[in-house]
Amino acid sequence: MVIKKGRNWNLPERLVIGESRYWNRRDFIKKMGIGAAAVCAAGVPGCVNEETSKIEPAKIFVPDIPEWIQDLYPAEPNPDFAEIPPGRQMTPEQIANTFNNFYEFGIPKTEVHKNAGTLVTRPWAVEIAGLVHNPVVLDVDDMYKLFDLEERIYRLRCVEAWSMVVPWTGWPLRKLLEYANPMGSAKFVRMISFDRPDQAVGQRELTQYDWPYYEGLSMAEAMNEITMLVTGIFGNVTPPQHGSPFRLITPWKYGYKSIKSIVRIELTDQRPPTFWNDAVPSEYSFTSNVDPTKPHPRWSQATERDIGTEEQIETLPYNGYGEWVADLYE
Ligand SMILES: Nc1nc2c(c(=O)[nH]1)N[C@H]1C(S)=C(S)[C@@H](COP(=O)(O)O)O[C@H]1N2
Ligand SMILES: [Mo]
């Protein structure tokens, strides 16, 4: 039996923070063992264990993903990103998991999660190629052996002026790039999603788009401390609608830069084309940093709707991550 550990992020903020401060969940679970865990029924998030009056984590078992990988979750929080950003609340997992942009699985955001289950995410190879000294093809499971997982709470701001706050699990992209040993001539990173119309209804039916999805960053952006390769969300491996088995997260850029379900990473000396810039160049730039002073041609970017609280809030320059990235653009 696999006991899947997860943090219960749907709890009020004070409970989540209080809990993580005094309770090392992983040790706790090990001490509790299977018998004690059975006090709470499997799959009942937030079930309160009567013996301890502590919150019992949700238990989720994801088929097809090796148990030793699922055991790595939840990962250690990175202290720089362990707190919920000021003035924000954690977006409930249920909302984040059912409101997605992933056009490979259709356009309506509340339908994506129903369609994305057809994506086969194991085995999954990623090719790191181009201007590197060590070109490799890695299986996603091998990446777990190479790099230590960490968890970071980030804001995500979509260009459509909605946003959320979620805990991602993964590795800085920098670690993978360093592993491939970039050549000095590498100036950009090009990333490409899967191309599998048989597994993705949007790739079959939305023929107006130039599949597969493709994105890019400058080398400096890709090597930045806050640029992440993400394999998990809310203390578990990501469900497919968030871009499993792994996707990019660039929290200071509009959400479409955060390409999902990557199969190829190529270092190049040319600025790569990007999916939305090619589709509508007047609306979506290569850089696409969150900027409240620069309206989209069809709407303001000064405010955003938090999909958890439904509140309209002010958009921050670089989505609040200026201290990490502003010097890239000086
Ligand atoms: N391959 C791929 N990646 C993608 C998209 C997509 O349609 N296809 N949509 C992007 C957009 S517009 C956003 S806002 C985020 C949404 O991520 P989420 O569904 O995990 O919240 O994914 C981005 N990554
Ligand atoms: Mo988006």
Side-chain angles (χ1 to χ4, degrees), residues 137-199:
V137 178
L138 286 173
D139 188 89
V140 64
D141 295 349
D142 295 331
M143 289 167 60
Y144 280 94
K145 293 177 194 155
L146 290 170
F147 317 116
D148 288 335
L149 283 180
E150 54 178 89
E151 184 174 78
R152 301 182 182 196
I153 298 171
Y154 278 165
R155 310 170 191 86
L156 183 139
R157 169 59 156 84
C158 175
V159 73
E160 299 160 333
W162 57 265
S163 69
M164 63 181 189
V165 176
V166 298
W168 302 110
T169 311
W171 314 280
L173 172 62
R174 174 177 42 78
K175 289 196 184 177
L176 181 65
L177 297 180
E178 282 169 354
Y179 180 78
N181 196 1
M183 295 179 183
S185 51
K187 297 283 176 283
F188 294 92
V189 182
R190 180 168 183 244
M191 283 160 275
I192 305 173
S193 293
F194 65 90
D195 187 14
R196 302 181 187 170
D198 54 320
Q199 294 175 20

Side-chain angles (χ1 to χ4, degrees), residues 4-212:
K4 196 56 218 90
K5 307 171 292 293
R7 295 191 173 84
N8 192 328
W9 296 107
N10 295 330
L11 296 167
E13 189 177 326
R14 71 194 139 75
L15 276 182
V16 172
I17 290 172
E19 175 187 40
S20 58
R21 288 220 178 107
Y22 65 78
W23 180 34
N24 180 328
R25 182 180 305 244
R26 183 171 296 172
D27 289 347
F28 179 72
I29 286 293
K30 276 183 187 146
K31 274 181 223 132
M32 294 270 288
I34 286 169
V39 172
C40 284
V44 179
C47 164
V48 175
N49 186 300
E50 285 168 19
E51 284 171 26
T52 60
S53 298
K54 300 261 167 76
I55 306 299
E56 186 71 1
K59 295 169 194 66
I60 302 165
F61 176 66
V62 187
D64 304 329
I65 296 175
E67 289 187 19
W68 68 268
I69 288 178
Q70 299 198 47
D71 263 355
L72 300 173
Y73 293 84
E76 284 299 317
N78 178 316
D80 286 337
F81 307 98
E83 302 291 334
I84 294 165
R88 301 296 298 264
Q89 288 178 39
M90 191 70 85
T91 302
E93 184 171 1
Q94 188 62 26
I95 293 176
N97 285 355
T98 53
F99 187 90
N100 303 96
N101 272 332
F102 200 172
Y103 274 35
E104 285 87 335
F105 298 101
I107 295 177
K109 294 182 219 316
T110 52
E111 296 296 311
V112 168
H113 70 106
K114 300 177 196 164
N115 297 335
T118 50
L119 181 64
V120 178
T121 60
R122 289 294 188 293
W124 189 282
V126 57
E127 185 176 10
I128 300 127
L131 300 175
V132 291
H133 294 290
N134 178 30
V136 279
V137 178
L138 286 173
D139 188 89
V140 64
D141 295 349
D142 295 331
M143 289 167 60
Y144 280 94
K145 293 177 194 155
L146 290 170
F147 317 116
D148 288 335
L149 283 180
E150 54 178 89
E151 184 174 78
R152 301 182 182 196
I153 298 171
Y154 278 165
R155 310 170 191 86
L156 183 139
R157 169 59 156 84
C158 175
V159 73
E160 299 160 333
W162 57 265
S163 69
M164 63 181 189
V165 176
V166 298
W168 302 110
T169 311
W171 314 280
L173 172 62
R174 174 177 42 78
K175 289 196 184 177
L176 181 65
L177 297 180
E178 282 169 354
Y179 180 78
N181 196 1
M183 295 179 183
S185 51
K187 297 283 176 283
F188 294 92
V189 182
R190 180 168 183 244
M191 283 160 275
I192 305 173
S193 293
F194 65 90
D195 187 14
R196 302 181 187 170
D198 54 320
Q199 294 175 20
V201 64
Q203 291 188 333
R204 288 196 298 279
E205 293 182 1
L206 302 174
T207 52
Q208 68 271 36
Y209 292 109
D210 183 18
W211 305 114

